[in-house]
Structure formats: C-alpha cells, structure tokens
Amino acid sequence: MTMLRGAAAAVARRCGLRAGSGGGKVAARRCCSAARRREWVPPVGRDSGIMAYNSRSRTKEPLVLAKDRVATWYSCGPTVYDHAHLGHACSYVRFDIIRRIMTKFFGIEVIMVMGITDIDDKIIKRANEMNMSPVALARIYEEDFKQDMAALKVLPPTAYMRVTENIPQIISFIETVIANGQAYATSQGNVYFDVKSWGKRYGVLTTISPDTPDEAVNTDKRHGKDFALWKAAKPQELSWTSPWGKGRPGWHIECSTISSAVFGKQLDIHTGGIDLAFPHHENEIAQCEVYHQCEQWGNYFLHSGHLHVKGSQEKMSKSLKNYVTVKDFLKKFSSDQFRMYCLRSRYSSAVEFSDESMDDAKNLLQAISSFIKDANAYIKGQLICDPVREDILWERLASTKVTVKASFADDFDTSRAVAAIMDLIHHGNRQLKAVTKDTGSPRSSVVYGSIISYIEGFFNALGMSFEERQVAVKGDSSAVLSNVIDELVQFRTKVRHYALALPEAAETALVEGDAGAKGSKREEKEKRQQLMGERRPLLEACDSLRENLAAFGIHIKKVCCGGCPDLAFAYPRSPAN
C-alpha cells in the first residue's frame, strides 16, 4: 500500500499537482488515463541499496531487482563494420565501471547479454567496397571490437549474441507482433511497426507523440513514424527466407528479440549511449510490450553521455569523421588513464576529450602512484618521518569508506568517490614528510598499510592497476624508461654519498689513500670536512641533475636511511605533496 501511495504521489508531481490538494486524486486519474503508459511503475523485488537515474521515469529511483542480488542486464552492442572509436569506448568503459561497482561494492551478480549487429546496411556497403562477404567482414570487426574492449579492460558480457544466429527467433517475434495488431506487411515484402496503433503507449523515453503530423515519405509505410521490422532483400544482398519473402531484420527488432530470448519479459537494466534512447530504445520498448503483452518492459534504462571533441558540440562519430580509434588512442595513453578520465565525471554527463583532459587524468594517476610508493617506502623504513598521528589517519580512512559507498549508491557517482580517495591521499601525504635524522620513534606502518590496501583495492575493483606501464607518461617504452631512471638515480646516490664523505664513503677513501691511517674522531671529522670541500663540485653536480630532471617531470626524493638509494618518481608531483 505504501508503494502504491508513493507511485500515485509521483504521478501527481509529474502532472503538476500538489500531494493532498483538493481534487488531486481525480486529476491524477485523468492524467494517468491520458498518458497511462508513460508513467513508470516501481518494480516488485529487492532494493539493491542504489539510487539510479532512470530514463523511463526521468528521475532517480531506488534500483529494485526482481531477484535478490542478481541483476539482468541487456547492453546494446556494436554494429561491426569498422574499428571501434573512443566515443564507443567511453560508453562501454563507463558501464563496465557501473557493473564492477554493483558486483564489488554491492555484492550483486550481473547477468549481462550484449547483442552484436552483424548484418546491416553499413556492413553490406563496406563489404562491397572491400570485395568480401558481409559475414566475413562482420567476423573480422567483431573480433577487433572484442580485442579493443579487452585492451581497455572491459569485462566481457555473460554472453555475446549475434543477430545472424537468431534469425528464426526474430521472424517468430515479428509474427507475434503482427498477430497482436501492431505491425503490418506490405506488398513489397517489408514489415513495419504501426506506431499510430500503439497510441499513447508510444513515447516512454521521449515526448514524441504518434499523433503529430508526419513528414512526407516516399515509401510503402502507412505513416512516417512507422519503423521497419523486416526489410525486403535487394538484388545480390544477403537475405533469409521469411513469410514475407526474402529479406533481413530491421535494426530495432534485433535487440528486442535477443533480450527477450534470454530474459523473457522481465529485464532489470538496459543500457546504451544517450543517442540510442530515440528511436532505438523507444522502439525496443514498444516492440517488447506488444510481444509480451506486458505493462512495462525494461525497468531501468541507463544512458551514457556523449564524448565530444574539444571545441565542438558534436559527438565523436564515424559519420562526422571526427573520431580517434581505440587502437590509435592506446598508442599514446594507457587503459588506466582513460578509465580515470571516465571516473572523473558522471556516466550520464557529456564529456570533452582533449590532450589536456587526458593529462589531468594522467596526473591524478601519477599522484596516487606517488603516494603508494612513498607509503611503501615509509613502511619499509626507507623513508624516515616525524611521529604520525595515527588517530587522524584511521578516522580519515573510515570516513572515506563511508563516503565512497554513499557516492556509489547515489547513481554511481564516481567523481565524488575519486575526490574522497584523493582527500585521503592528501591527509596521508601531509604526514609523510622526510626528516634528516632518525629520532628512533616507532613507525605507524599498520595504518599506512591499511590505507594502501584500501586505495589499491578501490581501483582494482574498478578495473585499474598501478603498474609502471599504466601510470608512466609514455606507453610502450615506459618499462625501459623506468629502469633507466632507477639506474641513474642509484648512480647519483653513490656519487652524492661520496661527495658528502659519508662514513662508508669516507672510510673507503681513507683505505684507498692511506691503509694504515688511524686517527681520533676529531681528525676524522676534519678529514671529512676537507674531503667535502674537495668534492663540492660533485655535490653541486648532483643537485643540478636533480633540478634538471625535475623540469622533465622526474622528481627525486631524498631518503635518510643509511646506504639506501634515493627514490625517484617519473611524473609531476601532486599539489597535495
């Protein structure tokens, strides 16, 4: 009863009514009668603990799953006729992050199916241009797509399903839609969905009304808004036999059939880019609700925002020829850098792509890696610091965990969660200040170990790591660069220790110069001062090298721990440091 009252209140709000106002119930009933199917009905099931923005209701709603801790999820897959570009990647990576959040942070098992459109006008056109069969072309680019997703560390769906392997099911689906009175076949062998016959039930995701005047069309459709379920074959075109003659499926019917074949009439989540909301997802809903004769198919529709090229309001797309392929992108940046770029904004928002925005994401990754290296050095005793306020750090760690979980529960707000992690790193860094002398105070290794474990676990859960290859400025040469830097820093450390005439260095020099020399501590001190004076140019050269490397983003941190080499970080330091 409480759920019903809540739904009625929601209807009243969307109709511009105040709850409890006189005549509100009657007006709400009229509103529901006028546009009955445009209202979203909260599903029956178990609350996941997540609030998600639902394109069906145009507001945040509790994510209620039909089966406890199990989510059924259909994802629109690619039309495989060319290489995937960064606009595609942005959507798939964002939804991969959401899938990982649901699994790792909320304990939800996700059953995901992705449809692969492997027959389409674009595929046929490209295959003709390349003088090969559409099936062969589609297989090549399907595998190419899967390789790109693996390179971006996008988890594969539970099952990929190709359109060409579901033709009998698609034909059967169309026959049912015709039998239910919402589709018609033409004399030319085409089959169309009759949008006008569906009336007010059409327009769930949009404000499109079937009653608005049609534009003039020169086809065999009854109405301009009708869309193809089956397309009659053209000469020399790949086709299948059907009750309406040889042909192939329309685009929208493919996803409706595949998702229904796996999940039936109960689907928790449907995802895709915002450009798919209309007409693709709108038409999917209409087809499925006719086929299943159900009141609501697809409880939650989640849409990712466009990826724009810097300085343009246009989305990245092949038709506009303003795209960067995934393969070309990964020659310059790593998958973790792109994932951090995606984490910095809400999945539903439009984002601008540029080298500057990628540099921002890269610097964040580098700051995180820098902190982890510093903290590990502290735990190992290689970085000596003043006593640490453990109580403050334990409190910060606990509050960060709460903030992260709350952020993810609020429509998967990754930007807020990452900000909480960076704030934790800021407070951890504030207490990792190297001192020149070891006071003998105990190290607070446990709290820093816990912070490192949580931060690494957070990013690992979201599909990231902190390997050199992922964090370093350059991609393929990063491992070699890292080794070269390590060797250079170790050499500089030895030279610097020699220039400072440190005990082990001075001792070696005395043995080499005068094996029998024995003197008092005073004489040794005087000797060290004399050596330091003689070797001062070496010390100045070491300092000069340190400053010059900093200009190239390679920062050397002094370590006060006997003969331990200094630490080098091959990236810009974070302001939090």
Side-chain angles (χ1 to χ4, degrees):
M1 183 63 71
T2 302
M3 181 179 288
L4 292 175
R5 283 199 298 269
V11 170
R13 285 196 303 273
R14 291 169 195 147
C15 294
L17 304 170
R18 289 186 296 108
S21 62
K25 292 182 180 178
V26 175
R29 282 198 298 272
R30 286 175 184 162
C31 180
C32 290
S33 177
R36 181 171 58 88
R37 282 301 294 121
R38 302 184 86 140
E39 293 305 327
W40 178 77
V41 178
V44 175
R46 296 296 185 93
D47 193 332
S48 65
I50 301 169
M51 293 289 290
Y53 183 86
N54 187 0
S55 295
R56 285 201 71 143
S57 65
R58 300 179 180 85
T59 189
K60 288 182 188 177
E61 307 283 2
L63 180 60
V64 176
L65 305 173
K67 186 173 178 61
D68 189 28
R69 301 297 162 193
V70 176
T72 55
W73 182 334
Y74 182 79
S75 170
C76 288
T79 300
V80 284
Y81 71 98
D82 203 347
H83 299 294
H85 61 64
L86 222 52
H88 302 135
C90 189
S91 182
Y92 289 119
V93 168
R94 282 169 147 182
F95 285 124
D96 181 70
I97 290 168
I98 288 177
R99 180 183 178 184
R100 290 172 183 269
I101 289 171
M102 291 173 64
T103 302
K104 301 294 186 180
F105 292 87
F106 292 90
I108 298 169
E109 181 183 0
V110 173
I111 310 301
M112 177 186 281
V113 169
M114 180 180 288
I116 300 289
T117 299
D118 58 345
I119 185 64
D120 172 87
D121 290 340
K122 294 175 182 176
I123 295 173
I124 293 170
K125 181 176 182 292
R126 186 75 188 279
N128 289 336
E129 292 170 353
M130 298 178 69
N131 195 28
M132 63 191 304
S133 76
V135 173
L137 178 85
R139 294 296 176 270
I140 290 170
Y141 283 112
E142 177 186 335
E143 184 59 31
D144 187 77
F145 168 79
K146 291 176 181 177
Q147 290 175 3
D148 283 346
M149 293 302 103
L152 291 169
K153 295 194 275 192
V154 173
L155 295 172
T158 309
Y160 287 107
M161 295 187 69
R162 297 170 178 153
V163 170
T164 56
E165 294 175 352
N166 287 272
I167 299 297
Q169 294 90 332
I170 291 172
I171 291 172
S172 176
F173 195 109
I174 295 172
E175 288 179 318
T176 300
V177 175
I178 292 174
N180 288 338
Q182 264 71 51
Y184 57 91
T186 71
S187 59
Q188 296 181 23
N190 296 306
V191 180
Y192 296 100
F193 187 93
D194 188 348
V195 172
K196 192 163 280 191
S197 73
W198 199 230
K200 295 292 184 180
R201 299 182 71 166
Y202 188 81
V204 173
L205 301 178
T206 64
T207 56
I208 298 292
S209 169
D211 296 328
T212 55
D214 290 328
E215 294 181 6
V217 289
N218 185 24
T219 69
D220 55 345
K221 296 180 186 180
R222 291 178 184 171
H223 313 290
K225 293 185 181 62
D226 295 351
F227 55 89
L229 304 183
W230 187 262
K231 296 181 177 183
K234 296 176 183 177
Q236 307 302 314
E237 192 174 83
L238 180 64
S239 62
W240 289 263
T241 301
S242 79
W244 317 287
K246 285 188 172 293
R248 56 187 173 84
W251 176 32
H252 314 301
I253 199 69
E254 301 166 356
C255 290
S256 292
T257 301
I258 289 172
S259 59
S260 295
V262 179
F263 300 121
K265 65 180 181 180
Q266 166 55 47
L267 177 66
D268 293 319
I269 300 169
H270 195 312
T271 57
I274 188 61
D275 53 319
L276 296 181
F278 183 84
H280 187 51
H281 291 167
E282 189 70 64
N283 293 347
E284 275 190 74
I285 292 171
Q287 292 166 156
C288 286
E289 290 179 355
V290 170
Y291 177 83
H292 295 294
Q293 293 292 287
C294 64
E295 289 298 302
Q296 181 168 288
W297 177 83
N299 290 326
Y300 299 87
F301 275 75
L302 276 57
H303 291 109
S304 59
H306 285 315
L307 182 109
H308 296 278
V309 180
K310 183 180 180 181
S312 171
Q313 294 302 310
E314 296 174 326
K315 69 170 185 173
M316 182 178 289
S317 71
K318 288 174 183 167
S319 61
L320 296 172
K321 302 188 187 310
N322 63 350
Y323 64 92
V324 177
T325 67
V326 173
K327 287 176 174 57
D328 286 343
F329 172 83
L330 290 176
K331 291 175 184 176
K332 188 173 183 180
F333 301 101
S334 73
S335 63
D336 277 9
Q337 289 163 1
F338 185 65
R339 196 162 282 244
M340 177 59 82
Y341 166 80
C342 293
L343 284 170
R344 296 183 66 229
S345 61
R346 281 187 176 270
Y347 74 93
S348 56
S349 64
V351 287
E352 183 179 86
F353 174 75
S354 65
D355 282 352
E356 291 80 6
S357 60
M358 284 306 305
D359 285 340
D360 289 343
K362 185 164 49 178
N363 290 341
L364 271 181
L365 266 182
Q366 291 162 349
I368 296 164
S369 184
S370 168
F371 169 74
I372 291 173
K373 286 185 178 181
D374 279 1
N376 271 318
Y378 171 78
I379 291 170
K380 294 174 184 178
Q382 297 171 347
L383 183 62
I384 309 303
C385 302
D386 284 329
V388 168
R389 287 288 307 275
E390 287 192 38
D391 55 332
I392 294 176
L393 293 180
W394 283 119
E395 181 182 340
R396 286 288 175 182
L397 177 59
S399 65
T400 299
K401 291 179 179 180
V402 171
T403 301
V404 165
K405 188 69 179 286
S407 301
F408 286 158
D410 182 16
D411 196 29
F412 313 102
D413 190 349
T414 56
S415 60
R416 182 179 161 209
V418 170
I421 294 292
M422 297 311 297
D423 186 62
L424 174 63
I425 288 173
H426 169 73
H427 285 279
N429 269 329
R430 286 178 63 181
Q431 301 203 46
L432 283 183
K433 297 298 182 184
V435 294
T436 57
K437 186 176 180 181
D438 187 356
T439 60
S441 58
R443 294 195 306 278
S444 301
S445 300
V446 176
V447 67
Y448 273 100
S450 296
I451 291 173
I452 291 173
S453 178
Y454 178 70
I455 291 173
E456 290 184 332
F458 171 89
F459 287 108
N460 287 339
L462 298 180
M464 299 168 68
S465 65
F466 287 93
E467 302 168 359
E468 289 291 342
R469 183 182 65 80
Q470 291 290 346
V471 176
V473 177
K474 301 295 182 184
D476 297 335
S477 62
S478 62
V480 175
L481 174 63
S482 179
N483 290 332
V484 170
I485 291 171
D486 287 343
E487 290 295 327
L488 176 63
V489 171
Q490 287 183 28
F491 176 75
R492 176 189 171 277
T493 300
K494 290 177 182 178
V495 172
R496 188 169 180 274
H497 284 186
Y498 180 77
L500 289 171
L502 292 177
E504 64 274 17
E507 197 173 290
T508 301
L510 285 171
V511 170
E512 292 173 351
D514 183 4
K518 298 288 184 180
S520 64
K521 290 184 178 180
R522 181 176 179 180
E523 290 173 340
E524 289 178 1
K525 185 176 181 181
E526 290 175 353
K527 181 64 176 177
R528 185 184 177 210
Q529 289 175 341
Q530 177 187 341
L531 290 172
M532 286 178 64
E534 294 172 356
R535 301 169 185 174
R536 185 172 185 81
L538 290 176
L539 187 62
E540 291 174 349
C542 288
D543 291 341
S544 178
L545 176 63
R546 184 168 182 258
E547 293 170 1
N548 291 340
L549 288 176
F552 294 97
I554 301 171
H555 294 257
I556 298 175
K557 174 171 282 191
K558 296 177 183 177
V559 174
C560 304
C561 179
C564 292
D566 291 345
L567 299 178
F569 303 93
Y571 35 78
R573 303 292 283 152
S574 162
N577 291 334

